[in-house]
Amino acid sequence: MSEKTTHFGFRTVAEDEKAGMVHGVFSNVASKYDVMNDAMSMGIHRIWKDAMMNWLAPRAGQKLLDVAGGTGDISFRFLKRAGRAHATVLDLTEPMLVEGAKRAEASQLADQLDWVVGDAMALPFKDNTFDVYTISFGIRNVTRIADALSEAFRVLRPGGRLMVLEFSQIPNDMMQKVYDLYSFNIIPRLGQLIANDRDSYQYLVESIRKFPDQETFAQMIREAGFDNVKYRNMSMGIAALHSGWKI
């Protein structure tokens, strides 16, 4: 066992245990994942993802790698906007990909989609392969975020773009306290009610609180080699979009 530790929610665990624990969480909730996203955010996650596409401005001919792509939300949006393009959905958890492949959009876009089981910290792709790398509500679950960002830089072509959508920190302390009350009291209960799994959603709430704030994460992206790094807050900072370029 590795002597290095990391966090799993508010718990401290060995680094080499976290991936398996995260895999367990998403295997447990895969069949209810999309329903829970709507319930937890009251549908606002769809607005955030549309904003992500607006800033990304997909174009025909681009190759997207959607890491922690789960049930395909981002890839479907990307392909519909880009027209003739290609998306590879990569996720550590095969049951999430299985659920995504059942969706109507997956059948309609089958010739433009690949579904791959893989690890964000060790991507099974050659250098300089993709035009766009996205990760939506997934990077906070990665054991070593810096490794995932380095892998993103490696597989992007020169001129390629990274875009991350992730829960973040509200700059207003009072609003953050209100949001915390909602998160810790309501979301695990929704998880129990809808997915019959309180513990997984307790972890998800805790993992949000452990994720770096907007400026800290932006600096991590720069340290991975990206240029022109910027971010935009969504819904007062409940979530944030981070963008960077491989120059």
Side-chain angles (χ1 to χ4, degrees), residues 93-107:
T93 309
E94 187 173 10
M96 292 285 287
L97 299 176
V98 170
E99 289 298 322
K102 294 177 183 176
R103 293 174 60 173
E105 299 99 316
S107 297

Side-chain angles (χ1 to χ4, degrees), residues 45 48 60 84 97 101 109 122 124 135 156 184 203 225 227:
H45 75 101
W48 296 338
R84 294 305 304 176
L97 299 176
L109 299 166
I135 183 165
L156 279 170
F184 283 98
Y203 157 72
D227 287 296

